[in-house]
Amino acid sequence: MANKQEPTTQDEANTAAEATTPRRAQRERKQVQHYTPQETEKAEFIIKQGRGTKLGDIPNVRHKLSGLKGDDDLIASLHKLVYNRPGTVVKRKRNLYEFSGFSAEEEKNMDKIHERLSKWSVGQLHAALDAFDMPRGTGEDGKKV
């Protein structure tokens, strides 16, 4: 009977095993593609001149708005209503003081402004009327001038 000759040392065993088994090919690694977001420039915020008087030039309105802080809910809501952006806490009141009515371009989009205003609660509406020193109610007191 013919015996297979077994390797005597560990190195001989490893070389014999490598010779008998085919070597597995290594896979090719794909190049990694990292995501880099595109940097978009924000449009500069420009306050367009309207047809009316600036809110900061009306003494009663300036006095009532000056009593509120920039992070007040009313100031944030008014800024969002007028400029359609939340604005920074530091610049909200300053921007509201510069508001003088909607420009001709913005008046075309009054439906959107009415839609935003219709989502306000009665309390918010009353607070806005008080801040702008406008009368509440119906009848002669509530009519637009």
Side-chain angles (χ1 to χ4, degrees):
M1 214 160 127
N3 285 342
K4 287 188 177 179
Q5 194 178 24
E6 294 187 18
T8 56
T9 63
Q10 185 68 22
D11 290 334
E12 290 176 1
N14 287 342
T15 56
E18 287 177 4
T20 58
T21 59
R23 187 168 186 140
R24 194 166 123 189
Q26 286 187 339
R27 68 177 179 91
E28 291 183 28
R29 297 189 182 268
K30 294 182 179 178
Q31 185 67 26
V32 177
Q33 296 177 358
H34 295 284
Y35 173 72
T36 54
Q38 295 177 352
E39 294 183 18
T40 57
E41 294 183 21
K42 290 185 177 181
E44 187 176 335
F45 180 64
I46 299 171
I47 298 174
K48 297 178 182 173
Q49 189 67 23
R51 293 184 291 179
T53 307
K54 291 183 179 181
L55 291 177
D57 294 342
I58 303 170
N60 289 346
V61 175
R62 185 168 190 87
H63 174 71
K64 291 187 180 190
L65 288 180
S66 66
L68 301 172
K69 293 186 177 182
D71 61 347
D72 191 72
D73 289 337
L74 177 64
I75 297 291
S77 299
L78 287 172
H79 195 278
K80 177 74 175 164
L81 175 73
V82 171
Y83 295 114
N84 196 22
R85 58 175 43 189
T88 60
V89 174
V90 177
K91 294 184 179 181
R92 283 180 189 153
K93 278 178 33 177
R94 191 179 326 156
N95 292 344
L96 283 174
Y97 287 147
E98 293 296 316
F99 180 70
S100 62
F102 294 106
S103 66
E105 298 170 6
E106 294 168 332
E107 285 185 4
K108 294 176 185 174
N109 299 328
M110 281 306 241
D111 294 338
K112 292 180 183 178
I113 295 169
H114 286 288
E115 183 180 321
R116 277 185 264 152
L117 193 57
S118 67
K119 294 179 183 177
W120 283 26
S121 67
V122 174
Q124 284 179 309
L125 292 172
H126 285 283
L129 289 173
D130 290 341
F132 293 137
D133 202 25
M134 294 175 67
R136 298 187 203 173
T138 59
E140 290 298 318
D141 292 337
K143 287 188 177 179
K144 289 172 120 180
V145 180

